[in-house]
Amino acid sequence: MLIFLTALVCVLGYFGYKSALKFFYPIKYEDIVLKASETYKVDKELIFAIIKCESGFDKNAHSRANACGLMQITPETFDWLKTCYTHDEKASRSQLKIPEVNILYGTLLISILLKKYENEETALSAYNAGISATDRWLSNKNHSPDGFNLENIPYKETRDYILRVKKAKNIYKKLYFKKE
């Protein structure tokens, strides 16, 4: 931790605050993200934030839940998206680590979740914990008094994930996409 803080102070001192933020919140795969954002009508800042939080822009990332690629999609979710929404029989599981494939399918997934839940935090909950878990929480008055907003998410990992993505989205918006 001390090494990280020392590196952070050095980066801040040498490059300045905005440059340091750009170091920790990079823009990578911009053309693919912009295409996916336009295709599926999802904020580009949200896509960058999900990639940052899911994989740290490591296209070879692989989780213990068998999710892979930049947006950490499981092979089962990929198959579901492929057959139910895009009818793209050409894409295969082996292509999940290809940035264009992963970002397009990950953006498709978050767009479906945003439409289903009409609430970004709830959509992010489903992206992280799954649709089944999120639907269970929404139907439980202890977690969602109104059946729409999640006020008490039982999984700490999901609560933390939502906060990290929202923070990253805000940083991306202010750092790269704020209209001056």
Short mmCIF file of all heavy atoms in Angstrom, two decimals, residues 62-129:
data_model
loop_
_atom_site.label_atom_id
_atom_site.label_comp_id
_atom_site.label_asym_id
_atom_site.label_seq_id
_atom_site.Cartn_x
_atom_site.Cartn_y
_atom_site.Cartn_z
N HIS A 62 -9.84 -13.09 -16.69
CA HIS A 62 -10.68 -14.28 -16.49
C HIS A 62 -11.01 -14.37 -15.00
O HIS A 62 -10.11 -14.31 -14.17
CB HIS A 62 -9.93 -15.53 -16.96
CG HIS A 62 -10.82 -16.69 -17.20
ND1 HIS A 62 -11.34 -16.97 -18.44
CD2 HIS A 62 -11.31 -17.62 -16.36
CE1 HIS A 62 -12.09 -18.05 -18.36
NE2 HIS A 62 -12.10 -18.46 -17.11
N SER A 63 -12.29 -14.51 -14.68
CA SER A 63 -12.69 -14.53 -13.27
C SER A 63 -12.88 -15.96 -12.76
O SER A 63 -12.97 -16.90 -13.55
CB SER A 63 -14.00 -13.76 -13.09
OG SER A 63 -15.09 -14.54 -13.55
N ARG A 64 -13.02 -16.07 -11.45
CA ARG A 64 -13.28 -17.38 -10.85
C ARG A 64 -14.67 -17.88 -11.23
O ARG A 64 -14.96 -19.07 -11.11
CB ARG A 64 -13.10 -17.31 -9.34
CG ARG A 64 -14.09 -16.40 -8.63
CD ARG A 64 -13.79 -16.32 -7.13
NE ARG A 64 -14.73 -15.47 -6.45
CZ ARG A 64 -14.67 -14.15 -6.41
NH1 ARG A 64 -13.68 -13.52 -7.00
NH2 ARG A 64 -15.58 -13.45 -5.78
N ALA A 65 -15.55 -17.00 -11.70
CA ALA A 65 -16.89 -17.40 -12.14
C ALA A 65 -16.90 -17.76 -13.63
O ALA A 65 -17.96 -17.91 -14.23
CB ALA A 65 -17.88 -16.27 -11.87
N ASN A 66 -15.71 -17.84 -14.23
CA ASN A 66 -15.53 -18.20 -15.64
C ASN A 66 -15.95 -17.08 -16.60
O ASN A 66 -16.19 -17.33 -17.78
CB ASN A 66 -16.25 -19.51 -15.99
CG ASN A 66 -15.66 -20.14 -17.24
OD1 ASN A 66 -14.48 -19.98 -17.54
ND2 ASN A 66 -16.49 -20.84 -17.99
N ALA A 67 -16.04 -15.86 -16.10
CA ALA A 67 -16.31 -14.72 -16.97
C ALA A 67 -14.98 -14.29 -17.58
O ALA A 67 -13.93 -14.40 -16.95
CB ALA A 67 -16.93 -13.57 -16.18
N CYS A 68 -15.03 -13.81 -18.82
CA CYS A 68 -13.76 -13.44 -19.44
C CYS A 68 -13.89 -12.20 -20.31
O CYS A 68 -14.98 -11.75 -20.64
CB CYS A 68 -13.21 -14.62 -20.25
SG CYS A 68 -14.23 -15.16 -21.59
N GLY A 69 -12.73 -11.66 -20.62
CA GLY A 69 -12.64 -10.50 -21.49
C GLY A 69 -12.82 -9.19 -20.76
O GLY A 69 -12.91 -9.13 -19.53
N LEU A 70 -12.85 -8.13 -21.54
CA LEU A 70 -12.90 -6.78 -21.00
C LEU A 70 -14.13 -6.52 -20.13
O LEU A 70 -14.04 -5.86 -19.10
CB LEU A 70 -12.87 -5.78 -22.16
CG LEU A 70 -11.56 -5.73 -22.93
CD1 LEU A 70 -11.74 -5.03 -24.27
CD2 LEU A 70 -10.48 -5.06 -22.10
N MET A 71 -15.29 -7.01 -20.56
CA MET A 71 -16.52 -6.76 -19.81
C MET A 71 -16.97 -7.97 -19.00
O MET A 71 -18.06 -7.98 -18.44
CB MET A 71 -17.62 -6.26 -20.76
CG MET A 71 -17.28 -4.89 -21.36
SD MET A 71 -18.57 -4.15 -22.34
CE MET A 71 -19.68 -3.54 -21.06
N GLN A 72 -16.09 -8.98 -18.91
CA GLN A 72 -16.30 -10.15 -18.06
C GLN A 72 -17.66 -10.81 -18.32
O GLN A 72 -18.56 -10.80 -17.47
CB GLN A 72 -16.14 -9.78 -16.59
CG GLN A 72 -14.70 -9.44 -16.22
CD GLN A 72 -13.80 -10.67 -16.29
OE1 GLN A 72 -13.82 -11.50 -15.40
NE2 GLN A 72 -13.03 -10.80 -17.35
N ILE A 73 -17.77 -11.42 -19.47
CA ILE A 73 -18.99 -12.12 -19.86
C ILE A 73 -18.75 -13.62 -19.70
O ILE A 73 -17.73 -14.14 -20.16
CB ILE A 73 -19.35 -11.80 -21.33
CG1 ILE A 73 -19.52 -10.29 -21.52
CG2 ILE A 73 -20.60 -12.55 -21.77
CD1 ILE A 73 -19.61 -9.86 -22.95
N THR A 74 -19.71 -14.31 -19.10
CA THR A 74 -19.59 -15.76 -18.99
C THR A 74 -19.99 -16.38 -20.33
O THR A 74 -20.80 -15.81 -21.08
CB THR A 74 -20.50 -16.35 -17.89
OG1 THR A 74 -21.86 -16.11 -18.24
CG2 THR A 74 -20.17 -15.77 -16.53
N PRO A 75 -19.45 -17.55 -20.63
CA PRO A 75 -19.83 -18.22 -21.88
C PRO A 75 -21.34 -18.47 -21.97
O PRO A 75 -21.93 -18.35 -23.05
CB PRO A 75 -19.05 -19.54 -21.83
CG PRO A 75 -17.85 -19.22 -20.99
CD PRO A 75 -18.36 -18.26 -19.95
N GLU A 76 -21.98 -18.78 -20.85
CA GLU A 76 -23.42 -19.03 -20.85
C GLU A 76 -24.20 -17.76 -21.18
O GLU A 76 -25.17 -17.80 -21.96
CB GLU A 76 -23.87 -19.58 -19.48
CG GLU A 76 -23.28 -20.93 -19.13
CD GLU A 76 -21.83 -20.89 -18.65
OE1 GLU A 76 -21.35 -19.81 -18.22
OE2 GLU A 76 -21.18 -21.95 -18.72
N THR A 77 -23.79 -16.65 -20.62
CA THR A 77 -24.45 -15.38 -20.93
C THR A 77 -24.23 -15.02 -22.40
O THR A 77 -25.16 -14.57 -23.08
CB THR A 77 -23.92 -14.25 -20.02
OG1 THR A 77 -24.22 -14.60 -18.66
CG2 THR A 77 -24.54 -12.91 -20.36
N PHE A 78 -23.03 -15.26 -22.88
CA PHE A 78 -22.71 -15.01 -24.29
C PHE A 78 -23.64 -15.83 -25.20
O PHE A 78 -24.22 -15.31 -26.15
CB PHE A 78 -21.25 -15.35 -24.55
CG PHE A 78 -20.82 -15.25 -25.98
CD1 PHE A 78 -20.70 -14.01 -26.60
CD2 PHE A 78 -20.51 -16.39 -26.70
CE1 PHE A 78 -20.28 -13.91 -27.92
CE2 PHE A 78 -20.08 -16.30 -28.01
CZ PHE A 78 -19.97 -15.06 -28.63
N ASP A 79 -23.80 -17.11 -24.89
CA ASP A 79 -24.68 -17.96 -25.69
C ASP A 79 -26.11 -17.45 -25.67
O ASP A 79 -26.80 -17.43 -26.68
CB ASP A 79 -24.64 -19.41 -25.18
CG ASP A 79 -23.32 -20.10 -25.47
OD1 ASP A 79 -22.54 -19.60 -26.33
OD2 ASP A 79 -23.05 -21.14 -24.83
N TRP A 80 -26.58 -17.05 -24.49
CA TRP A 80 -27.93 -16.51 -24.36
C TRP A 80 -28.10 -15.25 -25.20
O TRP A 80 -29.07 -15.11 -25.95
CB TRP A 80 -28.23 -16.24 -22.88
CG TRP A 80 -29.54 -15.55 -22.65
CD1 TRP A 80 -30.78 -16.08 -22.78
CD2 TRP A 80 -29.72 -14.19 -22.25
NE1 TRP A 80 -31.73 -15.12 -22.49
CE2 TRP A 80 -31.11 -13.96 -22.16
CE3 TRP A 80 -28.84 -13.14 -21.96
CZ2 TRP A 80 -31.64 -12.73 -21.78
CZ3 TRP A 80 -29.37 -11.91 -21.57
CH2 TRP A 80 -30.75 -11.72 -21.50
N LEU A 81 -27.16 -14.33 -25.09
CA LEU A 81 -27.24 -13.09 -25.87
C LEU A 81 -27.21 -13.38 -27.36
O LEU A 81 -27.97 -12.79 -28.13
CB LEU A 81 -26.08 -12.16 -25.50
CG LEU A 81 -26.13 -11.52 -24.13
CD1 LEU A 81 -24.79 -10.89 -23.79
CD2 LEU A 81 -27.24 -10.50 -24.05
N LYS A 82 -26.36 -14.28 -27.75
CA LYS A 82 -26.19 -14.62 -29.16
C LYS A 82 -27.46 -15.21 -29.75
O LYS A 82 -27.89 -14.81 -30.84
CB LYS A 82 -25.01 -15.58 -29.30
CG LYS A 82 -24.57 -15.83 -30.70
CD LYS A 82 -23.29 -16.63 -30.74
CE LYS A 82 -23.57 -18.02 -30.26
NZ LYS A 82 -22.58 -19.00 -30.65
N THR A 83 -28.08 -16.13 -29.07
CA THR A 83 -29.25 -16.80 -29.63
C THR A 83 -30.53 -16.00 -29.45
O THR A 83 -31.41 -16.04 -30.32
CB THR A 83 -29.45 -18.20 -29.02
OG1 THR A 83 -29.60 -18.07 -27.61
CG2 THR A 83 -28.27 -19.10 -29.34
N CYS A 84 -30.63 -15.28 -28.36
CA CYS A 84 -31.88 -14.57 -28.08
C CYS A 84 -31.98 -13.19 -28.72
O CYS A 84 -33.07 -12.72 -29.00
CB CYS A 84 -32.08 -14.42 -26.57
SG CYS A 84 -32.27 -15.97 -25.72
N TYR A 85 -30.84 -12.54 -28.90
CA TYR A 85 -30.92 -11.14 -29.30
C TYR A 85 -30.20 -10.79 -30.59
O TYR A 85 -30.60 -9.86 -31.27
CB TYR A 85 -30.40 -10.25 -28.17
CG TYR A 85 -31.35 -10.26 -27.00
CD1 TYR A 85 -31.19 -11.16 -25.96
CD2 TYR A 85 -32.45 -9.42 -26.98
CE1 TYR A 85 -32.09 -11.20 -24.91
CE2 TYR A 85 -33.35 -9.46 -25.94
CZ TYR A 85 -33.16 -10.35 -24.91
OH TYR A 85 -34.06 -10.38 -23.88
N THR A 86 -29.15 -11.48 -30.94
CA THR A 86 -28.42 -11.05 -32.13
C THR A 86 -28.47 -12.06 -33.26
O THR A 86 -28.17 -11.73 -34.38
CB THR A 86 -26.94 -10.75 -31.82
OG1 THR A 86 -26.32 -11.97 -31.43
CG2 THR A 86 -26.80 -9.70 -30.74
N HIS A 87 -28.83 -13.28 -32.96
CA HIS A 87 -28.89 -14.33 -33.98
C HIS A 87 -27.59 -14.41 -34.77
O HIS A 87 -27.60 -14.61 -35.97
CB HIS A 87 -30.09 -14.13 -34.91
CG HIS A 87 -31.38 -14.01 -34.16
ND1 HIS A 87 -31.97 -15.07 -33.53
CD2 HIS A 87 -32.16 -12.94 -33.92
CE1 HIS A 87 -33.08 -14.67 -32.95
NE2 HIS A 87 -33.22 -13.39 -33.16
N ASP A 88 -26.50 -14.24 -34.08
CA ASP A 88 -25.18 -14.26 -34.72
C ASP A 88 -24.53 -15.62 -34.47
O ASP A 88 -23.82 -15.81 -33.50
CB ASP A 88 -24.31 -13.13 -34.16
CG ASP A 88 -22.95 -13.05 -34.81
OD1 ASP A 88 -22.68 -13.83 -35.75
OD2 ASP A 88 -22.15 -12.21 -34.37
N GLU A 89 -24.82 -16.55 -35.34
CA GLU A 89 -24.27 -17.89 -35.16
C GLU A 89 -22.77 -17.95 -35.44
O GLU A 89 -22.11 -18.92 -35.12
CB GLU A 89 -24.99 -18.90 -36.06
CG GLU A 89 -26.36 -19.31 -35.51
CD GLU A 89 -27.48 -18.40 -35.97
OE1 GLU A 89 -27.42 -17.90 -37.11
OE2 GLU A 89 -28.41 -18.17 -35.19
N LYS A 90 -22.22 -16.94 -36.09
CA LYS A 90 -20.80 -16.95 -36.44
C LYS A 90 -19.90 -16.74 -35.22
O LYS A 90 -18.80 -17.26 -35.17
CB LYS A 90 -20.50 -15.87 -37.48
CG LYS A 90 -21.13 -16.15 -38.83
CD LYS A 90 -20.83 -15.03 -39.80
CE LYS A 90 -21.56 -15.26 -41.10
NZ LYS A 90 -21.39 -14.13 -42.02
N ALA A 91 -20.36 -15.96 -34.27
CA ALA A 91 -19.55 -15.68 -33.09
C ALA A 91 -19.47 -16.94 -32.22
O ALA A 91 -20.46 -17.65 -32.06
CB ALA A 91 -20.14 -14.53 -32.29
N SER A 92 -18.29 -17.20 -31.68
CA SER A 92 -18.12 -18.38 -30.84
C SER A 92 -17.53 -17.98 -29.49
O SER A 92 -16.95 -16.90 -29.34
CB SER A 92 -17.21 -19.39 -31.53
OG SER A 92 -15.89 -18.89 -31.60
N ARG A 93 -17.66 -18.88 -28.53
CA ARG A 93 -17.14 -18.63 -27.19
C ARG A 93 -15.65 -18.29 -27.22
O ARG A 93 -15.17 -17.52 -26.41
CB ARG A 93 -17.36 -19.85 -26.30
CG ARG A 93 -18.78 -20.04 -25.86
CD ARG A 93 -18.91 -21.27 -25.01
NE ARG A 93 -20.23 -21.35 -24.41
CZ ARG A 93 -20.53 -22.20 -23.45
NH1 ARG A 93 -19.62 -23.03 -22.98
NH2 ARG A 93 -21.75 -22.23 -22.96
N SER A 94 -14.94 -18.89 -28.14
CA SER A 94 -13.49 -18.65 -28.22
C SER A 94 -13.18 -17.20 -28.60
O SER A 94 -12.05 -16.75 -28.42
CB SER A 94 -12.84 -19.61 -29.23
OG SER A 94 -13.32 -19.35 -30.53
N GLN A 95 -14.16 -16.47 -29.08
CA GLN A 95 -13.95 -15.08 -29.47
C GLN A 95 -14.26 -14.09 -28.34
O GLN A 95 -14.12 -12.89 -28.53
CB GLN A 95 -14.83 -14.74 -30.68
CG GLN A 95 -14.45 -15.50 -31.93
CD GLN A 95 -15.42 -15.23 -33.06
OE1 GLN A 95 -16.62 -15.35 -32.90
NE2 GLN A 95 -14.87 -14.84 -34.20
N LEU A 96 -14.64 -14.60 -27.18
CA LEU A 96 -15.02 -13.71 -26.07
C LEU A 96 -13.91 -12.79 -25.61
O LEU A 96 -14.18 -11.75 -25.04
CB LEU A 96 -15.52 -14.53 -24.89
CG LEU A 96 -17.03 -14.66 -24.77
CD1 LEU A 96 -17.41 -15.54 -23.59
CD2 LEU A 96 -17.71 -13.33 -24.70
N LYS A 97 -12.67 -13.16 -25.85
CA LYS A 97 -11.56 -12.29 -25.44
C LYS A 97 -11.17 -11.29 -26.52
O LYS A 97 -10.31 -10.44 -26.29
CB LYS A 97 -10.36 -13.13 -25.01
CG LYS A 97 -10.63 -13.84 -23.69
CD LYS A 97 -9.41 -14.47 -23.12
CE LYS A 97 -9.74 -15.11 -21.78
NZ LYS A 97 -8.59 -15.75 -21.19
N ILE A 98 -11.82 -11.34 -27.66
CA ILE A 98 -11.58 -10.34 -28.71
C ILE A 98 -12.31 -9.07 -28.29
O ILE A 98 -13.53 -9.10 -28.07
CB ILE A 98 -12.07 -10.84 -30.08
CG1 ILE A 98 -11.27 -12.09 -30.51
CG2 ILE A 98 -11.97 -9.74 -31.13
CD1 ILE A 98 -11.82 -12.77 -31.75
N PRO A 99 -11.60 -7.95 -28.15
CA PRO A 99 -12.23 -6.73 -27.63
C PRO A 99 -13.53 -6.35 -28.34
O PRO A 99 -14.52 -6.02 -27.67
CB PRO A 99 -11.14 -5.67 -27.81
CG PRO A 99 -9.87 -6.44 -27.66
CD PRO A 99 -10.15 -7.76 -28.34
N GLU A 100 -13.56 -6.37 -29.65
CA GLU A 100 -14.79 -5.96 -30.35
C GLU A 100 -15.96 -6.85 -29.99
O GLU A 100 -17.07 -6.37 -29.73
CB GLU A 100 -14.58 -5.94 -31.86
CG GLU A 100 -15.80 -5.40 -32.59
CD GLU A 100 -15.54 -5.11 -34.05
OE1 GLU A 100 -14.62 -5.69 -34.64
OE2 GLU A 100 -16.27 -4.27 -34.60
N VAL A 101 -15.75 -8.16 -29.97
CA VAL A 101 -16.82 -9.10 -29.63
C VAL A 101 -17.26 -8.88 -28.19
O VAL A 101 -18.45 -8.75 -27.89
CB VAL A 101 -16.36 -10.56 -29.86
CG1 VAL A 101 -17.38 -11.55 -29.32
CG2 VAL A 101 -16.09 -10.80 -31.35
N ASN A 102 -16.32 -8.82 -27.26
CA ASN A 102 -16.63 -8.69 -25.85
C ASN A 102 -17.35 -7.39 -25.54
O ASN A 102 -18.35 -7.38 -24.82
CB ASN A 102 -15.34 -8.82 -25.03
CG ASN A 102 -15.64 -9.06 -23.57
OD1 ASN A 102 -15.90 -8.11 -22.84
ND2 ASN A 102 -15.63 -10.32 -23.17
N ILE A 103 -16.86 -6.30 -26.08
CA ILE A 103 -17.49 -4.99 -25.80
C ILE A 103 -18.88 -4.91 -26.41
O ILE A 103 -19.82 -4.42 -25.78
CB ILE A 103 -16.58 -3.83 -26.28
CG1 ILE A 103 -15.32 -3.77 -25.41
CG2 ILE A 103 -17.33 -2.50 -26.23
CD1 ILE A 103 -14.25 -2.81 -25.92
N LEU A 104 -19.05 -5.41 -27.63
CA LEU A 104 -20.37 -5.35 -28.25
C LEU A 104 -21.38 -6.19 -27.47
O LEU A 104 -22.50 -5.75 -27.20
CB LEU A 104 -20.31 -5.79 -29.71
CG LEU A 104 -19.64 -4.78 -30.65
CD1 LEU A 104 -19.47 -5.36 -32.05
CD2 LEU A 104 -20.42 -3.47 -30.71
N TYR A 105 -20.99 -7.40 -27.06
CA TYR A 105 -21.91 -8.24 -26.31
C TYR A 105 -22.11 -7.74 -24.88
O TYR A 105 -23.22 -7.82 -24.34
CB TYR A 105 -21.45 -9.70 -26.32
CG TYR A 105 -21.87 -10.41 -27.59
CD1 TYR A 105 -21.05 -10.42 -28.71
CD2 TYR A 105 -23.10 -11.05 -27.69
CE1 TYR A 105 -21.43 -11.04 -29.88
CE2 TYR A 105 -23.49 -11.69 -28.86
CZ TYR A 105 -22.66 -11.68 -29.95
OH TYR A 105 -23.05 -12.31 -31.11
N GLY A 106 -21.07 -7.23 -24.25
CA GLY A 106 -21.22 -6.66 -22.92
C GLY A 106 -22.13 -5.44 -22.93
O GLY A 106 -22.96 -5.26 -22.03
N THR A 107 -22.01 -4.63 -23.97
CA THR A 107 -22.88 -3.45 -24.09
C THR A 107 -24.30 -3.87 -24.40
O THR A 107 -25.26 -3.27 -23.89
CB THR A 107 -22.33 -2.48 -25.16
OG1 THR A 107 -20.97 -2.14 -24.82
CG2 THR A 107 -23.16 -1.21 -25.23
N LEU A 108 -24.46 -4.89 -25.22
CA LEU A 108 -25.80 -5.42 -25.47
C LEU A 108 -26.43 -5.87 -24.15
O LEU A 108 -27.58 -5.55 -23.86
CB LEU A 108 -25.74 -6.60 -26.46
CG LEU A 108 -27.02 -7.40 -26.64
CD1 LEU A 108 -28.16 -6.53 -27.16
CD2 LEU A 108 -26.78 -8.58 -27.58
N LEU A 109 -25.65 -6.58 -23.33
CA LEU A 109 -26.17 -7.05 -22.05
C LEU A 109 -26.60 -5.89 -21.15
O LEU A 109 -27.73 -5.90 -20.63
CB LEU A 109 -25.13 -7.91 -21.33
CG LEU A 109 -25.51 -8.39 -19.93
CD1 LEU A 109 -26.81 -9.19 -19.95
CD2 LEU A 109 -24.38 -9.20 -19.32
N ILE A 110 -25.76 -4.90 -20.98
CA ILE A 110 -26.14 -3.79 -20.10
C ILE A 110 -27.32 -3.01 -20.68
O ILE A 110 -28.18 -2.54 -19.95
CB ILE A 110 -24.93 -2.87 -19.73
CG1 ILE A 110 -25.28 -1.94 -18.54
CG2 ILE A 110 -24.45 -2.04 -20.90
CD1 ILE A 110 -25.55 -2.62 -17.24
N SER A 111 -27.43 -2.94 -22.00
CA SER A 111 -28.59 -2.25 -22.60
C SER A 111 -29.88 -3.01 -22.32
O SER A 111 -30.92 -2.40 -22.02
CB SER A 111 -28.40 -2.05 -24.11
OG SER A 111 -28.60 -3.25 -24.83
N ILE A 112 -29.83 -4.34 -22.37
CA ILE A 112 -31.00 -5.16 -22.04
C ILE A 112 -31.39 -4.95 -20.58
O ILE A 112 -32.57 -4.79 -20.26
CB ILE A 112 -30.70 -6.65 -22.32
CG1 ILE A 112 -30.59 -6.89 -23.83
CG2 ILE A 112 -31.77 -7.55 -21.70
CD1 ILE A 112 -29.97 -8.22 -24.20
N LEU A 113 -30.40 -4.93 -19.71
CA LEU A 113 -30.66 -4.75 -18.28
C LEU A 113 -31.20 -3.36 -17.97
O LEU A 113 -32.09 -3.20 -17.13
CB LEU A 113 -29.39 -5.04 -17.48
CG LEU A 113 -28.86 -6.48 -17.59
CD1 LEU A 113 -27.52 -6.61 -16.89
CD2 LEU A 113 -29.87 -7.48 -17.08
N LEU A 114 -30.68 -2.34 -18.65
CA LEU A 114 -31.18 -0.98 -18.45
C LEU A 114 -32.64 -0.87 -18.89
O LEU A 114 -33.46 -0.21 -18.24
CB LEU A 114 -30.31 0.03 -19.21
CG LEU A 114 -28.93 0.29 -18.62
CD1 LEU A 114 -28.04 1.01 -19.63
CD2 LEU A 114 -29.04 1.08 -17.32
N LYS A 115 -33.00 -1.52 -19.99
CA LYS A 115 -34.39 -1.51 -20.45
C LYS A 115 -35.28 -2.29 -19.49
O LYS A 115 -36.40 -1.86 -19.18
CB LYS A 115 -34.49 -2.10 -21.86
CG LYS A 115 -33.97 -1.17 -22.93
CD LYS A 115 -33.98 -1.82 -24.30
CE LYS A 115 -33.25 -0.93 -25.28
NZ LYS A 115 -32.63 -1.67 -26.36
N LYS A 116 -34.80 -3.44 -19.05
CA LYS A 116 -35.61 -4.28 -18.15
C LYS A 116 -35.90 -3.58 -16.83
O LYS A 116 -37.02 -3.58 -16.35
CB LYS A 116 -34.88 -5.61 -17.89
CG LYS A 116 -35.56 -6.52 -16.87
CD LYS A 116 -34.78 -7.81 -16.70
CE LYS A 116 -35.30 -8.71 -15.60
NZ LYS A 116 -36.67 -9.12 -15.68
N TYR A 117 -34.88 -2.98 -16.23
CA TYR A 117 -35.02 -2.43 -14.89
C TYR A 117 -35.30 -0.94 -14.86
O TYR A 117 -35.73 -0.42 -13.83
CB TYR A 117 -33.78 -2.75 -14.05
CG TYR A 117 -33.62 -4.24 -13.83
CD1 TYR A 117 -32.60 -4.94 -14.46
CD2 TYR A 117 -34.49 -4.94 -13.01
CE1 TYR A 117 -32.44 -6.31 -14.27
CE2 TYR A 117 -34.35 -6.31 -12.81
CZ TYR A 117 -33.32 -6.98 -13.45
OH TYR A 117 -33.19 -8.33 -13.27
N GLU A 118 -35.02 -0.23 -15.94
CA GLU A 118 -35.25 1.22 -16.03
C GLU A 118 -34.56 1.98 -14.90
O GLU A 118 -35.03 3.04 -14.47
CB GLU A 118 -36.74 1.54 -16.05
CG GLU A 118 -37.47 0.92 -17.23
CD GLU A 118 -38.95 1.19 -17.23
OE1 GLU A 118 -39.43 1.97 -16.37
OE2 GLU A 118 -39.64 0.61 -18.07
N ASN A 119 -33.46 1.42 -14.41
CA ASN A 119 -32.75 2.01 -13.28
C ASN A 119 -31.31 1.53 -13.38
O ASN A 119 -31.06 0.32 -13.37
CB ASN A 119 -33.42 1.54 -11.98
CG ASN A 119 -32.71 2.00 -10.74
OD1 ASN A 119 -31.54 1.71 -10.55
ND2 ASN A 119 -33.43 2.70 -9.89
N GLU A 120 -30.37 2.46 -13.48
CA GLU A 120 -28.98 2.09 -13.70
C GLU A 120 -28.40 1.24 -12.56
O GLU A 120 -27.70 0.25 -12.81
CB GLU A 120 -28.13 3.34 -13.92
CG GLU A 120 -26.70 3.02 -14.34
CD GLU A 120 -25.95 4.25 -14.74
OE1 GLU A 120 -26.10 4.69 -15.90
OE2 GLU A 120 -25.20 4.79 -13.89
N GLU A 121 -28.69 1.60 -11.32
CA GLU A 121 -28.14 0.83 -10.20
C GLU A 121 -28.67 -0.60 -10.19
O GLU A 121 -27.92 -1.55 -9.93
CB GLU A 121 -28.45 1.52 -8.87
CG GLU A 121 -27.62 2.77 -8.66
CD GLU A 121 -27.82 3.39 -7.29
OE1 GLU A 121 -28.31 2.70 -6.38
OE2 GLU A 121 -27.47 4.57 -7.14
N THR A 122 -29.93 -0.76 -10.48
CA THR A 122 -30.51 -2.11 -10.52
C THR A 122 -29.95 -2.90 -11.69
O THR A 122 -29.65 -4.09 -11.56
CB THR A 122 -32.05 -2.02 -10.59
OG1 THR A 122 -32.52 -1.20 -9.53
CG2 THR A 122 -32.69 -3.40 -10.47
N ALA A 123 -29.77 -2.24 -12.83
CA ALA A 123 -29.16 -2.91 -13.99
C ALA A 123 -27.74 -3.35 -13.65
O ALA A 123 -27.33 -4.45 -14.02
CB ALA A 123 -29.17 -1.97 -15.20
N LEU A 124 -26.98 -2.50 -12.97
CA LEU A 124 -25.62 -2.87 -12.57
C LEU A 124 -25.63 -4.02 -11.57
O LEU A 124 -24.75 -4.89 -11.60
CB LEU A 124 -24.88 -1.66 -11.99
CG LEU A 124 -24.48 -0.59 -13.01
CD1 LEU A 124 -23.99 0.67 -12.30
CD2 LEU A 124 -23.43 -1.12 -13.97
N SER A 125 -26.63 -4.05 -10.70
CA SER A 125 -26.77 -5.17 -9.78
C SER A 125 -26.94 -6.47 -10.56
O SER A 125 -26.28 -7.47 -10.27
CB SER A 125 -27.98 -4.94 -8.86
OG SER A 125 -28.27 -6.12 -8.14
N ALA A 126 -27.79 -6.45 -11.57
CA ALA A 126 -28.02 -7.64 -12.38
C ALA A 126 -26.79 -8.00 -13.20
O ALA A 126 -26.50 -9.18 -13.41
CB ALA A 126 -29.23 -7.43 -13.29
N TYR A 127 -26.04 -7.00 -13.66
CA TYR A 127 -24.82 -7.27 -14.41
C TYR A 127 -23.82 -8.01 -13.53
O TYR A 127 -23.14 -8.93 -13.97
CB TYR A 127 -24.21 -5.96 -14.94
CG TYR A 127 -23.17 -6.15 -16.02
CD1 TYR A 127 -23.52 -6.04 -17.36
CD2 TYR A 127 -21.84 -6.43 -15.71
CE1 TYR A 127 -22.57 -6.23 -18.37
CE2 TYR A 127 -20.89 -6.61 -16.69
CZ TYR A 127 -21.26 -6.50 -18.03
OH TYR A 127 -20.32 -6.70 -19.02
N ASN A 128 -23.76 -7.62 -12.26
CA ASN A 128 -22.78 -8.22 -11.34
C ASN A 128 -23.28 -9.51 -10.70
O ASN A 128 -22.57 -10.50 -10.67
CB ASN A 128 -22.41 -7.20 -10.27
CG ASN A 128 -21.43 -7.74 -9.27
OD1 ASN A 128 -21.82 -8.18 -8.19
ND2 ASN A 128 -20.15 -7.73 -9.63
N ALA A 129 -24.49 -9.49 -10.16
CA ALA A 129 -24.98 -10.63 -9.37
C ALA A 129 -25.87 -11.56 -10.17
O ALA A 129 -26.14 -12.68 -9.73
CB ALA A 129 -25.74 -10.12 -8.15
#
